[in-house]
Amino acid sequence: MTKNYLEIPEELYNKLSDYAENDQLSIRLENQQILLENPKINHTNKQNLALHYFIVPSLASGIIALLIFLSTNQPQIAFTGSRHLSVASLSIILSTLFGFFGFIWTYLRKSCDLSKSKFKIFRETLTLSVAYTSISFAVQIIFWYIIGKTFSGVTFDPFTAGFLVLVFVGIIFYFLISAALSITLPNLILLLFTTFIGGILVSMATNNQKDWWQHNFSFLGTGEATQHWQFNITLIFSALILLTITDFLFAEFSKSSLYNYKFKIIRVFYILIALLIAFVGIFPAQSWTMPIHNNSAFGLVAVVLIMIIFLKWLVPTISKEFLALSWTALIALILSAVAFMGIHYLSLTVFEIIAFAIAFTWLVMFINSLRGIIQEGNEWQVKLLQK
């Protein structure tokens, strides 16, 4: 009888031993990748997701919705609309409420690194739960707006309406629980982009009639702006997400043989950048907070410039392509500063948008480059044997 073997390096064997259950691992193919997993943990996750984390809250939301609809003594319940209690309004409320606490519960039980401090665990859990719940809330608002235009005037009896609430809450809850169970660095980077760009665009749109661009970019966070809290909260939560990304990235990096004091310096830089972004939101560009706001904004760009200048020293193995891209970003930042302060070609608003866009994009791309270095350090050559 022919036996098939995999010949693997000892270092890889030692790492796999930490994941094995009674020296057993499950192997599966997914998206053209070969994944090795602990079979017991994988099975448990699927069962918990299907039973405890999904079905029970969905049923609870349906029962609550039915009781509320029956208590109104209305023979018919509106599908959408704000005049009366509707399927749409109750679905949004219950899915947001159940989803928020469900995300927290799931993340703490399944996705949280117990080696982290309690403060980091609390910060990460609260940040991610609010961010993902806010995104699901925004998606529901858009969805129900379209449904309201499409099915205007549609009503249902209380039992059918309660069942529909159960279905819609279940869909959103499934999305949030799935997200909590699959928190990865790429997902966090996508979350950062979605939160930051989405929040900024909403702030721009709500202040369009006030011609915010004639003042400066920071006008969006001042008391004169419409709903200025959106702009400031966006910056604060973006900073918290960036801190979470930093924790994930360097927690993985610390297990690599490549980790040294230079990467600790990079980690300090990222923490400092996150704090400066938060300060821009916490201290708006008005009255006594103006100096702190301006110094935080300029400090953010200055830290990015320092990182680019010393990039080759900080990460000697960085690719030539990213190094060239970094120097291009550096030149672009300097030219935009000269165009604004030197020859007054750019307005303050345009300069702020250009500088912040370049700095933010470079920071995210640098994270991806560091992640690529980690992945290169976690690659081994294996050999297929047949005897």
Side-chain angles (χ1 to χ4, degrees):
M1 178 179 175
T2 302
K3 292 187 177 181
N4 303 314
Y5 300 89
L6 269 179
E7 186 178 82
I8 62 176
E10 184 177 355
E11 182 182 1
L12 176 58
Y13 175 82
N14 294 332
K15 288 184 176 292
L16 292 177
S17 299
D18 297 333
Y19 295 96
E21 178 74 22
N22 297 323
D23 294 329
Q24 295 291 320
L25 288 169
S26 65
I27 187 169
R28 61 189 175 92
L29 298 176
E30 182 177 309
N31 298 326
Q32 297 183 340
Q33 294 180 333
I34 299 175
L35 303 178
L36 286 170
E37 298 175 323
N38 183 319
K40 183 177 180 180
I41 293 178
N42 189 41
H43 178 73
T44 302
N45 282 343
K46 291 181 179 179
Q47 291 298 321
N48 287 339
L49 175 61
L51 298 176
H52 302 293
Y53 297 165
F54 171 61
I55 294 179
V56 174
S58 299
L59 289 174
S61 66
I63 294 172
I64 292 173
L66 176 60
L67 293 176
I68 292 176
F69 289 147
L70 291 175
S71 67
T72 62
N73 295 321
Q74 296 287 338
Q76 292 292 109
I77 304 298
F79 193 29
T80 61
S82 57
R83 186 176 178 183
H84 300 292
L85 192 63
S86 63
V87 172
S89 60
L90 208 55
S91 296
I92 293 173
I93 293 172
L94 290 176
S95 63
T96 302
L97 184 64
F98 277 103
F100 177 75
F101 290 104
F103 189 100
I104 291 177
W105 177 259
T106 307
Y107 184 74
L108 287 176
R109 287 179 63 89
K110 296 298 177 184
S111 302
C112 201
D113 186 355
L114 297 179
S115 64
K116 297 178 182 178
S117 66
K118 291 183 178 180
F119 174 75
K120 284 185 178 180
I121 293 174
F122 172 78
R123 189 196 70 212
E124 287 180 10
T125 305
L126 185 61
T127 299
L128 294 175
S129 59
V130 171
Y132 274 101
T133 306
S134 299
I135 291 174
S136 70
F137 179 81
V139 170
Q140 288 181 85
I141 294 295
I142 297 172
F143 170 79
W144 285 113
Y145 175 80
I146 297 173
I147 293 297
K149 295 294 183 181
T150 306
F151 298 99
S152 178
V154 174
T155 61
F156 299 98
D157 64 88
F159 291 94
T160 303
F163 176 75
L164 289 174
V165 170
L166 182 152
V167 172
F168 287 116
V169 171
I171 293 172
I172 297 299
F173 198 80
Y174 183 84
F175 160 76
L176 290 172
I177 297 307
S178 298
L181 287 171
S182 58
I183 295 294
T184 61
L185 196 55
N187 290 343
L188 290 177
I189 293 174
L190 179 61
L191 176 64
L192 177 60
F193 261 110
T194 304
T195 303
F196 182 78
I197 296 176
I200 295 299
L201 289 178
V202 170
S203 299
M204 290 180 177
T206 54
N207 286 278
N208 184 47
Q209 294 181 346
K210 290 199 172 187
D211 294 334
W212 63 270
W213 47 270
Q214 295 184 4
H215 302 271
N216 52 59
F217 190 58
S218 299
F219 172 84
L220 297 172
T222 64
E224 299 178 25
T226 303
Q227 297 180 337
H228 59 278
W229 62 270
Q230 293 177 346
F231 180 81
N232 296 326
I233 289 296
T234 295
L235 292 177
I236 294 170
F237 265 98
S238 296
L240 290 172
I241 295 173
L242 184 58
L243 281 177
T244 302
I245 291 174
T246 303
D247 290 340
F248 270 74
L249 176 66
F250 288 95
E252 188 176 355
F253 226 138
S254 62
K255 301 174 184 178
S256 171
S257 59
L258 301 173
Y259 192 67
N260 55 35
Y261 74 96
K262 293 181 181 180
F263 288 104
K264 292 181 181 179
I265 295 175
I266 296 175
R267 183 173 191 169
V268 171
F269 275 138
Y270 266 100
I271 293 174
L272 178 59
I273 288 170
L275 292 176
L276 290 172
I277 293 175
F279 283 169
V280 173
I282 295 173
F283 302 100
Q286 57 189 23
S287 64
W288 65 272
T289 61
M290 180 70 79
I292 303 177
H293 177 90
N294 290 339
N295 289 330
S296 299
F298 284 113
L300 169 63
V301 177
V303 173
V304 172
L305 291 175
I306 293 172
M307 291 177 69
I308 294 176
I309 292 172
F310 291 97
L311 180 60
K312 186 62 178 177
W313 176 78
L314 289 169
V315 190
T317 57
I318 199 72
S319 67
K320 293 181 179 179
E321 292 77 11
F322 185 76
L323 191 60
L325 179 65
S326 299
W327 282 102
T328 302
L330 175 66
I331 295 171
L333 285 171
I334 294 175
L335 289 178
S336 61
V338 172
F340 166 62
M341 294 182 288
I343 61 177
H344 305 290
Y345 175 75
L346 296 177
S347 67
L348 176 57
T349 302
V350 175
F351 169 68
E352 287 180 329
I353 293 176
I354 291 175
F356 211 81
I358 292 175
F360 181 78
T361 303
W362 183 85
L363 287 170
V364 175
M365 294 181 69
F366 187 34
I367 290 174
N368 276 323
S369 296
L370 292 175
R371 179 170 164 264
I373 294 174
I374 297 174
Q375 290 177 336
E376 290 176 2
N378 288 333
E379 290 183 1
W380 293 272
Q381 298 295 321
V382 300
K383 185 183 295 185
L384 293 172
L385 299 175
Q386 191 176 69
K387 294 182 180 180

PDB file of all heavy atoms in Angstrom, residues 48-60:
ATOM      1  N   ASN A  48     -21.583  27.058  16.927  1.00  0.00           N
ATOM      2  CA  ASN A  48     -21.959  28.227  17.723  1.00  0.00           C
ATOM      3  C   ASN A  48     -22.550  29.318  16.848  1.00  0.00           C
ATOM      4  O   ASN A  48     -23.503  29.996  17.233  1.00  0.00           O
ATOM      5  CB  ASN A  48     -20.742  28.769  18.478  1.00  0.00           C
ATOM      6  CG  ASN A  48     -20.354  27.861  19.632  1.00  0.00           C
ATOM      7  OD1 ASN A  48     -21.165  27.080  20.109  1.00  0.00           O
ATOM      8  ND2 ASN A  48     -19.124  27.961  20.081  1.00  0.00           N
ATOM      9  N   LEU A  49     -21.959  29.523  15.670  1.00  0.00           N
ATOM     10  CA  LEU A  49     -22.471  30.548  14.764  1.00  0.00           C
ATOM     11  C   LEU A  49     -23.896  30.227  14.344  1.00  0.00           C
ATOM     12  O   LEU A  49     -24.754  31.104  14.302  1.00  0.00           O
ATOM     13  CB  LEU A  49     -21.567  30.645  13.533  1.00  0.00           C
ATOM     14  CG  LEU A  49     -22.039  31.598  12.416  1.00  0.00           C
ATOM     15  CD1 LEU A  49     -22.126  33.022  12.945  1.00  0.00           C
ATOM     16  CD2 LEU A  49     -21.104  31.523  11.228  1.00  0.00           C
ATOM     17  N   ALA A  50     -24.172  28.943  14.029  1.00  0.00           N
ATOM     18  CA  ALA A  50     -25.486  28.560  13.532  1.00  0.00           C
ATOM     19  C   ALA A  50     -26.553  28.570  14.624  1.00  0.00           C
ATOM     20  O   ALA A  50     -27.690  28.946  14.375  1.00  0.00           O
ATOM     21  CB  ALA A  50     -25.411  27.164  12.907  1.00  0.00           C
ATOM     22  N   LEU A  51     -26.192  28.166  15.852  1.00  0.00           N
ATOM     23  CA  LEU A  51     -27.195  27.994  16.903  1.00  0.00           C
ATOM     24  C   LEU A  51     -27.238  29.155  17.886  1.00  0.00           C
ATOM     25  O   LEU A  51     -28.207  29.916  17.922  1.00  0.00           O
ATOM     26  CB  LEU A  51     -26.927  26.677  17.646  1.00  0.00           C
ATOM     27  CG  LEU A  51     -27.016  25.403  16.789  1.00  0.00           C
ATOM     28  CD1 LEU A  51     -26.642  24.193  17.617  1.00  0.00           C
ATOM     29  CD2 LEU A  51     -28.416  25.243  16.221  1.00  0.00           C
ATOM     30  N   HIS A  52     -26.161  29.310  18.669  1.00  0.00           N
ATOM     31  CA  HIS A  52     -26.186  30.268  19.770  1.00  0.00           C
ATOM     32  C   HIS A  52     -26.128  31.720  19.304  1.00  0.00           C
ATOM     33  O   HIS A  52     -26.806  32.580  19.860  1.00  0.00           O
ATOM     34  CB  HIS A  52     -25.025  29.996  20.720  1.00  0.00           C
ATOM     35  CG  HIS A  52     -25.029  28.607  21.276  1.00  0.00           C
ATOM     36  ND1 HIS A  52     -25.994  28.155  22.141  1.00  0.00           N
ATOM     37  CD2 HIS A  52     -24.198  27.565  21.068  1.00  0.00           C
ATOM     38  CE1 HIS A  52     -25.755  26.893  22.463  1.00  0.00           C
ATOM     39  NE2 HIS A  52     -24.675  26.505  21.817  1.00  0.00           N
ATOM     40  N   TYR A  53     -25.311  32.003  18.299  1.00  0.00           N
ATOM     41  CA  TYR A  53     -25.049  33.395  17.951  1.00  0.00           C
ATOM     42  C   TYR A  53     -25.966  33.946  16.871  1.00  0.00           C
ATOM     43  O   TYR A  53     -25.909  35.121  16.566  1.00  0.00           O
ATOM     44  CB  TYR A  53     -23.601  33.559  17.475  1.00  0.00           C
ATOM     45  CG  TYR A  53     -22.568  33.232  18.521  1.00  0.00           C
ATOM     46  CD1 TYR A  53     -21.246  33.031  18.158  1.00  0.00           C
ATOM     47  CD2 TYR A  53     -22.910  33.136  19.864  1.00  0.00           C
ATOM     48  CE1 TYR A  53     -20.289  32.723  19.119  1.00  0.00           C
ATOM     49  CE2 TYR A  53     -21.966  32.831  20.819  1.00  0.00           C
ATOM     50  CZ  TYR A  53     -20.655  32.628  20.443  1.00  0.00           C
ATOM     51  OH  TYR A  53     -19.721  32.332  21.390  1.00  0.00           O
ATOM     52  N   PHE A  54     -26.797  33.119  16.280  1.00  0.00           N
ATOM     53  CA  PHE A  54     -27.594  33.590  15.156  1.00  0.00           C
ATOM     54  C   PHE A  54     -29.091  33.347  15.350  1.00  0.00           C
ATOM     55  O   PHE A  54     -29.891  34.281  15.313  1.00  0.00           O
ATOM     56  CB  PHE A  54     -27.096  32.922  13.870  1.00  0.00           C
ATOM     57  CG  PHE A  54     -27.963  33.171  12.676  1.00  0.00           C
ATOM     58  CD1 PHE A  54     -28.171  34.451  12.208  1.00  0.00           C
ATOM     59  CD2 PHE A  54     -28.586  32.113  12.032  1.00  0.00           C
ATOM     60  CE1 PHE A  54     -28.982  34.688  11.108  1.00  0.00           C
ATOM     61  CE2 PHE A  54     -29.393  32.331  10.925  1.00  0.00           C
ATOM     62  CZ  PHE A  54     -29.583  33.626  10.467  1.00  0.00           C
ATOM     63  N   ILE A  55     -29.470  32.108  15.582  1.00  0.00           N
ATOM     64  CA  ILE A  55     -30.885  31.763  15.613  1.00  0.00           C
ATOM     65  C   ILE A  55     -31.599  32.374  16.816  1.00  0.00           C
ATOM     66  O   ILE A  55     -32.676  32.971  16.671  1.00  0.00           O
ATOM     67  CB  ILE A  55     -31.059  30.225  15.617  1.00  0.00           C
ATOM     68  CG1 ILE A  55     -30.555  29.649  14.289  1.00  0.00           C
ATOM     69  CG2 ILE A  55     -32.516  29.850  15.838  1.00  0.00           C
ATOM     70  CD1 ILE A  55     -30.653  28.143  14.208  1.00  0.00           C
ATOM     71  N   VAL A  56     -31.024  32.242  18.005  1.00  0.00           N
ATOM     72  CA  VAL A  56     -31.697  32.715  19.218  1.00  0.00           C
ATOM     73  C   VAL A  56     -31.979  34.218  19.184  1.00  0.00           C
ATOM     74  O   VAL A  56     -33.117  34.648  19.426  1.00  0.00           O
ATOM     75  CB  VAL A  56     -30.873  32.333  20.464  1.00  0.00           C
ATOM     76  CG1 VAL A  56     -31.481  32.951  21.720  1.00  0.00           C
ATOM     77  CG2 VAL A  56     -30.784  30.817  20.604  1.00  0.00           C
ATOM     78  N   PRO A  57     -30.991  35.090  18.883  1.00  0.00           N
ATOM     79  CA  PRO A  57     -31.293  36.529  18.821  1.00  0.00           C
ATOM     80  C   PRO A  57     -32.304  36.881  17.733  1.00  0.00           C
ATOM     81  O   PRO A  57     -33.120  37.790  17.907  1.00  0.00           O
ATOM     82  CB  PRO A  57     -29.931  37.167  18.528  1.00  0.00           C
ATOM     83  CG  PRO A  57     -28.938  36.168  18.993  1.00  0.00           C
ATOM     84  CD  PRO A  57     -29.557  34.839  18.710  1.00  0.00           C
ATOM     85  N   SER A  58     -32.249  36.173  16.600  1.00  0.00           N
ATOM     86  CA  SER A  58     -33.203  36.449  15.522  1.00  0.00           C
ATOM     87  C   SER A  58     -34.621  36.126  15.960  1.00  0.00           C
ATOM     88  O   SER A  58     -35.558  36.901  15.712  1.00  0.00           O
ATOM     89  CB  SER A  58     -32.834  35.634  14.283  1.00  0.00           C
ATOM     90  OG  SER A  58     -31.550  35.968  13.821  1.00  0.00           O
ATOM     91  N   LEU A  59     -34.802  34.963  16.619  1.00  0.00           N
ATOM     92  CA  LEU A  59     -36.126  34.601  17.128  1.00  0.00           C
ATOM     93  C   LEU A  59     -36.602  35.601  18.178  1.00  0.00           C
ATOM     94  O   LEU A  59     -37.781  35.981  18.205  1.00  0.00           O
ATOM     95  CB  LEU A  59     -36.093  33.192  17.717  1.00  0.00           C
ATOM     96  CG  LEU A  59     -35.949  32.036  16.720  1.00  0.00           C
ATOM     97  CD1 LEU A  59     -35.786  30.713  17.468  1.00  0.00           C
ATOM     98  CD2 LEU A  59     -37.155  31.976  15.788  1.00  0.00           C
ATOM     99  N   ALA A  60     -35.679  36.019  19.029  1.00  0.00           N
ATOM    100  CA  ALA A  60     -36.032  36.992  20.076  1.00  0.00           C
ATOM    101  C   ALA A  60     -36.507  38.310  19.452  1.00  0.00           C
ATOM    102  O   ALA A  60     -37.488  38.905  19.921  1.00  0.00           O
ATOM    103  CB  ALA A  60     -34.831  37.239  20.987  1.00  0.00           C
TER     104      ALA A  60
END
